[in-house]
Amino acid sequence: MLSKIWVGMLVSAVLYGLITGRADALTAAVTDGARQAVRLCGTLLGMMCFFSGLLELLRRSGLADALARLGRPVLRRLYPEADDAAMQSIATNVTANLLGMSNAATPSGLDAAQRLRTGDTASDSLCMLAVMGAVSFSLLPATAAALRASLGAAQPYAILPAVWFCSAAGLAAGVGSSFLYRRIT
């Protein structure tokens, strides 16, 4: 359905540009938009490669294990059914999300989900992983800052207080709802 809406908007814009005699402006806008899209993708790809590499360094250096041990008491309470291998993937996922690297957090989140999956029904821990992945707390929103910097923001990290407040509120609501649901069922 959404693809039909996009095609409809695109056809309408092209027809309007041709009917009003502004095909040159339409061509310029398409060219400029394509150039900006490629530049933005390059910026995001560079950030994703950098932070994926950083996470791999954390894993290989043992710092990821140290962070996992540090967060284990809290993570054990949130993920009671998780074994050690799942807990390691969850810790890596949480670390990446804390640093605002949601793209780099995805592989470890998928690995944790595979390890937490038991049969056809989602466990409480798997549901908690989905909630925390969707509303994770971001200490350093690297991707958002990279987007702001690529678009010319003078202070790309000026959004930190708003990000901290909103991500903390979202995480509290998500985790609180999950615990409430656990008690009800």
Side-chain angles (χ1 to χ4, degrees):
M1 177 66 178
L2 191 58
S3 61
K4 291 178 183 177
I5 293 172
W6 280 107
V7 168
M9 289 189 327
L10 182 63
V11 168
S12 299
V14 170
L15 288 176
Y16 182 79
L18 293 174
I19 291 171
T20 60
R22 300 193 54 183
D24 56 335
L26 178 66
T27 303
V30 168
T31 304
D32 187 51
R35 182 179 46 77
Q36 289 179 3
V38 168
R39 189 177 74 207
L40 179 62
C41 287
T43 300
L44 290 177
L45 182 62
M47 289 293 296
M48 189 172 21
C49 289
F50 173 75
F51 282 112
S52 293
L54 181 63
L55 274 178
E56 186 61 27
L57 286 174
L58 286 174
R59 268 190 231 127
R60 289 185 184 187
S61 70
L63 196 53
D65 290 334
L67 289 172
R69 280 191 302 276
L70 186 68
R72 189 166 303 252
V74 173
L75 293 177
R76 268 288 162 223
R77 181 133 167 88
L78 294 172
Y79 303 99
E81 297 112 358
D83 61 9
D84 287 338
M87 196 58 72
Q88 180 62 41
S89 295
I90 291 168
T92 303
N93 179 269
V94 168
T95 301
N97 279 323
L98 273 173
L99 297 175
M101 307 179 294
S102 54
N103 289 329
T106 301
S108 58
L110 291 174
D111 183 57
Q114 278 296 110
R115 293 176 187 280
L116 292 173
R117 195 175 122 216
T118 56
D120 294 339
T121 304
S123 65
D124 287 342
S125 291
L126 184 56
C127 292
M128 182 63 77
L129 180 69
V131 167
M132 288 195 55
V135 294
S136 62
F137 181 78
S138 184
L139 188 61
L140 184 67
T143 304
L147 280 172
R148 288 176 44 85
S150 74
L151 295 172
Q155 296 177 332
Y157 284 99
I159 59 171
L160 283 180
V163 168
W164 291 337
F165 175 76
C166 292
S167 61
L171 184 62
V175 171
S177 297
S178 293
F179 275 119
L180 181 63
Y181 183 75
R182 279 184 191 176
R183 288 199 183 268
I184 291 172
T185 58

